[in-house]
């Protein structure tokens, strides 16, 4: 939805227009009256059943369906936190997303929820949403209603995969040792020449693998990393998966947290700050053993580029030659105060190290012991199956399917220890890099707290040049919530008052059907002026002759007509 900001000029005015995002969107119809104008979707033809083609066209026309699910969710939460009346810069800072992403999401959500757009005198756009805008979008789209269910299904499927992997270890160990015992028992029977081919009552113990399924958690539906962060304990089969594959990225939400913290930091400082003030939130280089003298403490400030790209910042030099950075889009807000960060979010975000496993030491020891039992069993079974008689024994005992599973069992046993060993090496390198980045961030915090006079002067200069502009209702010159004709008349009246030096807002409100000159009382002035002219003409008629009075009356009438023409020209202007 593109919107052209109105421009006041004595020669031309550019009026805002509505345009759909793409050709696949249902073209909205706009009804304009003297009082209000609303944009509504053209209703589809009524039918008893659901038209699949129309339903598909409707889903394709929903702009929010084209957004990334995570981006859409973060922007929706930011809109709610900011009070449902936001600017692009506010949402970008509150959601920790790029300005281009925030603008794209706001346009899509405003278009699908029939939100209102407000334009200020400076051409800044404010997006206004209703409190239930998320529910309205979901009511219009089947995909939006099914998305939470799909997310739940993905989480459950992920859990089932982890549990199945852990259960596979138990099943693998059972199958392998069952096969080993069966082959050993068959060899003993052959040596005794008993010809007994079954297990009978020889003291063989049968294990029911389904007993191990009792430790499943069918109510599980959250990501393992989220469960670990929330302090929930693992089941044993989850511990097996954790031992082999780990528990996911411990810094899964780090990027969002640090960009949200940096956006709030920039807004709190008025949109102008130095590289040293952004360093704790970015990836700065090490300052070295000794801090440089002067205002620029970092020899290379290229580490601020990600922030400049994300929030549309621009470098500039102040009067003293100090390099500062300005973020104009984050200086414009629709309301105050902005989003309040929690105590943990307000801190300098630091990365967490990768742990080998979040399972308890006892669970890890159990998984390791069971893995060793399984590996020993696989090696033993593989050695025994080199004898063709052992294969025949498995078939006789009803375990012939183990021969087909043997390659998978061997790969599982090898991977059970190979993958953790590889993770130990990779995680060690990752943690070394994380420690270096965290040390550099903490070093930047110490620099800001050191009280360096050059850095203090640089920060003071940035505070003087920073500012925050709040777009209030009085600054709005156009909104999609009202009719275009009504707003054009109001803009012309305001411009006319500005030239005459009259404050229109201090005058009493008037009816809708009255003309602009009635609002300012010009008709009454005109009538009073005409009455005064008529009184002068009557006096002249009584005191002078007919020829003289006719001449005077003609001059008065010409002056009256000239004055009326002047008023008409002003009205037409």
């Amino acid at each position: 939805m593109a919107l052209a900001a109105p421009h006041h000029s004595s020669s031309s005015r550019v009026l805002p227009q509505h345009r759909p995002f793409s050709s696949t969107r249902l073209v909205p119809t706009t009804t304009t009256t003297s009082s209000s104008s609303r944009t509504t979707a053209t209703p589809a033809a009524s039918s008893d059943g659901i038209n699949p083609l129309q339903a598909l066209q409707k889903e394709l026309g929903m702009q929010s369906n084209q957004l990334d699910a995570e981006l859409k969710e973060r922007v929706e939460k930011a809109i709610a936190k900011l009070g449902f009346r936001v600017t692009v810069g506010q949402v970008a800072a509150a959601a920790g997303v790029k300005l281009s992403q925030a603008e794209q999401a706001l346009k899509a959500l405003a278009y699908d929820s029939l939100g209102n757009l407000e334009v200020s005198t400076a051409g800044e756009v404010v997006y206004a949403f209703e409190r239930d805008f998320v529910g309205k979008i979901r009511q219009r789209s089947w995909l939006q209603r099914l998305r939470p269910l799909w997310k739940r299904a993905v989480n459950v499927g992920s859990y089932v995969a982890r549990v199945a992997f852990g259960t596979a270890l138990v099943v693998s160990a059972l199958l392998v040792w069952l096969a080993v015992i069966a082959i050993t028992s068959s060899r003993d029977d052959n040596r005794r020449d008993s010809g007994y081919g079954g297990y009978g009552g020889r003291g063989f113990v049968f294990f029911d693998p389904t007993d191990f399924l009792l430790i499943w958690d069918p109510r599980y539906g959250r990501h393992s990393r989220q469960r670990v962060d929330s302090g929930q304990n693992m089941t044993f089969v989850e511990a097996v998966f954790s031992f082999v594959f780990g528990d996911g990225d411990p810094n899964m939400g780090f990027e969002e947290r640090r960009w949200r913290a940096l956006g709030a930091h920039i807004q709190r400082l008025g949109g102008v700050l130095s590289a040293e003030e952004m360093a704790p939130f970015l990836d700065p280089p090490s300052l070295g053993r000794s801090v440089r003298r002067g205002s620029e403490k970092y020899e290379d400030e290229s580490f601020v580029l990600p922030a400049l790209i994300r929030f549309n910042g621009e470098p500039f030099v102040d009067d003293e030659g100090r390099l500062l950075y300005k973020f104009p889009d984050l200086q414009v807000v629709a309301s105050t105060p902005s989003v309040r960060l929690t105590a943990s979010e307000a801190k300098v975000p630091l990365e967490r190290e990768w742990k080998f496993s979040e399972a308890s030491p006892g669970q890890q020891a159990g998984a390791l012991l069971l893995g060793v039992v399984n590996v020993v069993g696989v090696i033993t079974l593989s050695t025994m199956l080199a004898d063709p008689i052992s294969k025949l024994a498995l078939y006789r005992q009803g375990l012939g399917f183990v021969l087909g599973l043997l390659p998978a069992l061997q790969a599982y046993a090898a991977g059970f220890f190979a993958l953790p060993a590889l993770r130990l090496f990779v995680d060690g390198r990752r943690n070394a890099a994380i420690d270096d980045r965290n040390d550099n961030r903490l070093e930047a915090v110490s620099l800001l707290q050191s009280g360096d006079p050059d850095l203090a002067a640089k920060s003071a200069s940035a505070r003087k040049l920073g500012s925050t502009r709040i777009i209030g209702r009085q600054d709005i010159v156009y909104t999609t919530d009202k009719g275009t004709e009504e707003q054009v008349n109001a803009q012309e009246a305001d411009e006319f008052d500005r030239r005459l030096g009259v404050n229109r807002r201090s005058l009493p409100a008037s009816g809708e059907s009255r003309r602009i000159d009635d609002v300012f009382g010009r008709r009454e002035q005109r009538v009073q002026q005409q009455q005064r002219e008529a009184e002068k003409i009557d006096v002249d008629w009584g005191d002078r002759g007919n020829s003289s009075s006719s001449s005077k009356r003609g001059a008065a009438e010409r002056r009256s007509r000239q004055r009326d023409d002047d008023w008409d020209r002003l009205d037409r202007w």
Side-chain angles (χ1 to χ4, degrees):
M1 179 182 295
L3 190 64
H7 174 68
H8 294 291
S9 174
S10 59
S11 60
S12 64
R13 293 179 179 84
V14 179
L15 300 181
Q17 297 179 354
H18 296 282
R19 294 196 300 270
F21 288 99
S22 63
S23 59
T24 59
R25 183 67 170 93
L26 293 178
V27 179
T29 57
T30 305
T31 305
T32 305
T33 61
S34 59
S35 59
S36 64
S37 175
R38 294 284 185 177
T39 303
T40 57
T42 305
S46 60
S47 60
D48 296 335
I50 299 177
N51 189 329
L53 183 59
Q54 291 181 350
L56 178 61
Q57 184 182 11
K58 182 178 179 181
E59 293 297 335
L60 292 177
M62 294 290 293
Q63 299 299 315
S64 55
N65 288 340
Q66 304 174 17
L67 298 175
D68 178 72
E70 183 181 359
L71 171 65
K72 176 177 175 294
E73 183 178 357
R74 289 165 63 176
V75 171
E76 287 175 347
K77 290 181 179 179
I79 292 173
K81 288 182 179 179
L82 293 168
F84 303 95
R85 187 172 179 270
V86 297
T87 62
V88 174
Q90 273 185 295
V91 172
V97 299
K98 296 181 180 179
L99 281 170
S100 57
Q101 293 176 327
E103 184 177 12
Q104 178 188 10
L106 285 174
K107 287 181 178 179
L109 294 175
Y111 191 71
D112 290 344
S113 65
L114 301 181
N116 294 318
L117 270 66
E118 302 173 355
V119 183
S120 69
T121 54
E124 298 142 340
V125 179
V126 176
Y127 296 83
F129 297 87
E130 297 184 5
R131 293 188 174 272
D132 60 339
F133 77 98
V134 176
K136 286 186 174 181
I137 294 177
R138 288 184 178 178
Q139 289 177 359
R140 297 180 57 192
S141 172
W142 283 97
L143 291 179
Q144 297 288 344
R145 293 196 291 270
L146 293 176
R147 183 169 291 176
L149 298 177
W150 172 254
K151 185 177 181 181
R152 174 74 177 182
V154 170
N155 290 336
V156 172
S158 176
Y159 168 71
V160 170
R162 289 190 293 272
V163 169
F165 185 88
T167 306
L169 176 63
V170 179
V171 174
S172 174
L174 284 175
L175 287 177
V176 166
W177 284 106
L178 279 174
V180 171
I181 294 174
I183 295 173
T184 304
S185 176
S186 177
R187 287 179 177 179
D188 292 340
D189 291 341
N190 291 334
R191 280 194 296 266
R192 295 189 181 98
D193 195 23
S194 62
Y196 190 82
Y199 291 100
R202 295 198 169 226
F204 187 82
V205 180
F206 286 89
F207 295 93
D208 185 5
T210 59
D211 293 340
F212 292 93
L213 304 183
L214 297 177
I215 54 179
W216 282 32
D217 181 9
R219 294 172 296 177
Y220 183 92
R222 299 172 61 188
H223 193 275
S224 60
R225 169 52 57 181
Q226 294 175 336
R227 292 193 66 190
V228 169
D229 292 341
S230 61
Q232 298 185 26
N233 296 326
M234 293 183 182
T235 61
F236 178 72
V237 288
E238 287 183 280
V240 172
F241 186 92
S242 174
F243 179 85
V244 178
F245 295 101
D247 303 287
D249 187 0
N251 301 301
M252 186 170 51
F254 173 75
E255 289 297 320
E256 178 184 357
R257 286 189 290 111
R258 79 158 166 180
W259 289 122
R260 291 186 67 235
L262 178 58
H265 184 62
I266 294 173
Q267 288 186 323
R268 184 168 56 250
L269 298 183
V272 177
L273 64 170
S274 62
E276 291 78 8
E277 292 172 320
M278 290 189 286
F281 304 91
L282 301 174
D283 299 326
S286 176
L287 290 171
R289 296 183 179 179
S290 59
V291 180
R292 298 178 61 195
R293 294 184 178 181
S295 59
E296 275 71 33
K297 304 301 180 182
Y298 290 98
E299 183 178 358
D300 183 9
E301 296 186 357
S302 60
F303 64 89
V304 304
L305 285 177
L308 300 181
I309 295 174
R310 180 171 290 264
F311 296 130
N312 196 22
E314 53 189 32
F316 72 99
V317 179
D318 65 359
D319 295 337
E320 300 297 329
R322 294 179 285 250
L323 181 61
L324 300 173
Y325 300 91
K326 182 178 182 180
F327 298 85
D329 294 286
L330 270 61
Q331 293 179 306
V332 180
V333 298
S335 60
T336 186
S338 187
V339 172
R340 299 291 186 185
L341 298 177
T342 62
S344 60
E345 292 175 333
K347 297 179 180 178
V348 174
L350 298 177
E351 297 177 74
R352 292 189 290 181
E353 292 186 352
W354 289 70
K355 293 184 63 176
F356 177 75
S357 175
E358 295 289 350
S360 65
Q363 290 175 329
Q364 294 185 42
L368 178 62
L369 178 61
L370 191 56
V372 171
V373 171
N374 181 59
V375 169
V376 173
V378 169
I379 295 174
T380 304
L381 179 60
S382 300
T383 303
M384 297 174 70
L385 289 178
D387 185 2
I389 298 178
S390 299
K391 297 180 181 180
L392 180 60
L394 286 180
Y395 281 111
R396 289 173 58 189
Q397 305 300 333
L399 296 175
F401 65 92
V402 176
L403 296 175
L405 295 177
L406 185 60
L409 295 176
Q410 292 172 340
Y412 185 93
F416 188 85
F417 289 99
L419 290 177
L422 179 62
R423 284 199 307 110
L424 280 175
F425 174 74
V426 174
D427 290 349
R429 301 188 61 179
R430 286 174 174 172
N431 291 336
I434 289 175
D435 289 339
D436 291 341
R437 290 194 294 268
N438 286 340
D439 290 342
N440 293 342
R441 295 185 184 109
L442 294 176
E443 193 177 49
V445 174
S446 301
L447 175 63
L448 293 174
Q449 297 174 348
S450 64
D452 185 276
D454 295 329
L455 187 58
K458 188 176 183 179
S459 300
S461 175
R463 299 297 84 78
K464 292 180 181 180
L465 298 174
S467 63
T468 301
R469 169 176 165 77
I470 302 175
I471 304 177
R473 300 289 182 181
Q474 69 279 2
D475 301 318
I476 302 302
V477 296
Y478 175 79
T479 174
T480 56
D481 192 31
K482 296 181 180 179
T484 304
E485 181 180 353
E486 176 186 0
Q487 297 181 80
V488 170
N489 290 339
Q491 293 176 25
E492 292 181 345
D494 289 339
E495 180 66 15
F496 187 87
D497 285 342
R498 187 185 64 79
R499 297 207 171 194
L500 293 180
V502 179
N503 185 6
R504 177 176 179 264
R505 301 184 187 274
S506 63
L507 297 176
S510 59
E512 221 180 78
S513 59
R514 299 182 60 183
R515 294 181 57 185
I516 295 179
D517 58 353
D518 295 335
V519 177
F520 301 101
R522 292 196 288 266
R523 175 174 294 181
E524 297 180 1
Q525 297 177 8
R526 184 185 305 180
V527 172
Q528 293 175 2
Q529 183 68 24
Q530 291 176 350
Q531 290 178 353
R532 286 194 296 269
E533 294 294 342
E535 291 175 358
K536 290 182 181 180
I537 292 174
D538 292 338
V539 172
D540 291 340
W541 281 346
D543 295 341
R544 304 286 181 99
N546 292 336
S547 60
S548 175
S549 56
S550 298
S551 176
K552 292 289 185 180
R553 186 179 68 179
E557 289 178 350
R558 286 193 298 272
R559 288 195 301 271
S560 178
R561 285 195 301 269
Q562 182 64 35
R563 190 173 293 105
D564 290 342
D565 293 340
D566 293 340
W567 281 109
D568 291 338
R569 281 196 297 272
L570 285 174
D571 288 342
R572 287 194 299 271
W573 177 86

